[in-house]
Amino acid sequence: MVNQMAGSTAETLIAEDPLAVFCSAVTGDLSLLAMLHDIEPEEKLLSALRSEGFSTSLGLRLKSDEGQKSLAFFDETLRALPEDIGTETLDQLAADYASIYLNYGINASPEESVWIDEENLICQDSMFQVRSCYERHGLGVEDWRIRPDDHLVIQLRFLQFLFEKNPDLEVVREVAHFMDEHLLRWLMQFSNRVANRCDTPYFAGLSLVTAYYCEELRDLLANILDEPRPTSEEIEERMKPKRQVESVPVSFMPGMGPAV
């Protein structure tokens, strides 16, 4: 009875609150995208995506030309899979997954630091910045040595977590800031490189859909907040390390002016 009452209340709230409807739809989409980047594709998953139609399963309908083209490409890729998805297809996808997410064989790291750091190193300032964002909500990664805090999957999961909270404009603003300062600073570069270098159209389509989805999501947040998106230059200026200016004592020597 308690569960039935809770479900009824949630449905009533969603029906009455457009922001709740939006957040609920985006939560489901982010969960799906994170899962697809998280694991090697399996036969059951691929068959479900093919039969249901990926683009129609999204709660957020992409409107941009690039977004629609990426969805059409990914849908066609799924339809083109063999009727009986056998070992050969799964092995090809597993090898491509490993090349992208495990051994970086195509030089397209799914970790933010590699794209932001001047020396393209992992586990740099970006990782600690996103870790601070997680810690404010009592969250943390299981093992940053295996999958660092700034990994694509974890950033998508964090956005999912925020959208699952009681939706209000402050949550929306926090999501917007996190996307500006972290995910969207590197996601399109990652996705384009994957699309150009990976061996299977599956991961090319998935990477592009993810990037264009997140771009359109951010545009919608700007509309909800009635606040324009900051430019890339404004974001980079905002994220520059703040210099610490220390006062240096002035010393004097007989017959000389001040020396520092």
Side-chain angles (χ1 to χ4, degrees), residues 175-191:
V175 170
H177 287 171
F178 183 84
M179 295 183 79
D180 288 340
E181 296 175 358
H182 296 290
L183 185 62
L184 294 183
R185 293 176 71 197
W186 64 279
L187 178 59
M188 189 62 74
Q189 297 177 71
F190 164 79
S191 297

Side-chain angles (χ1 to χ4, degrees), residues 231-245:
T231 65
S232 58
E233 293 78 13
E234 289 171 336
I235 293 297
E236 294 309 313
E237 183 64 27
R238 182 195 303 176
M239 299 304 292
K240 280 183 179 179
K242 303 297 186 293
R243 294 183 60 186
Q244 299 294 327
V245 179

Side-chain angles (χ1 to χ4, degrees), residues 22 26 29-30 33 60-64 156 159 162-163 169-188 209-232 234-235 238:
F22 171 77
V26 172
D29 293 348
L30 292 171
L33 290 171
L60 181 62
R61 299 290 183 259
L62 303 188
K63 301 295 184 182
S64 70
L156 291 173
L159 294 178
L162 292 179
F163 276 111
L169 292 183
E170 287 309 308
V171 171
V172 171
R173 185 170 285 107
E174 181 175 5
V175 170
H177 287 171
F178 183 84
M179 295 183 79
D180 288 340
E181 296 175 358
H182 296 290
L183 185 62
L184 294 183
R185 293 176 71 197
W186 64 279
L187 178 59
M188 189 62 74
V209 164
T210 303
Y212 288 119
Y213 181 96
C214 289
E215 286 290 341
E216 289 201 38
L217 172 59
R218 182 60 183 89
D219 287 338
L220 286 172
L221 299 185
N223 291 336
I224 292 171
L225 295 168
D226 194 24
E227 298 173 358
R229 289 181 62 172
T231 65
S232 58
E234 289 171 336
I235 293 297
R238 182 195 303 176

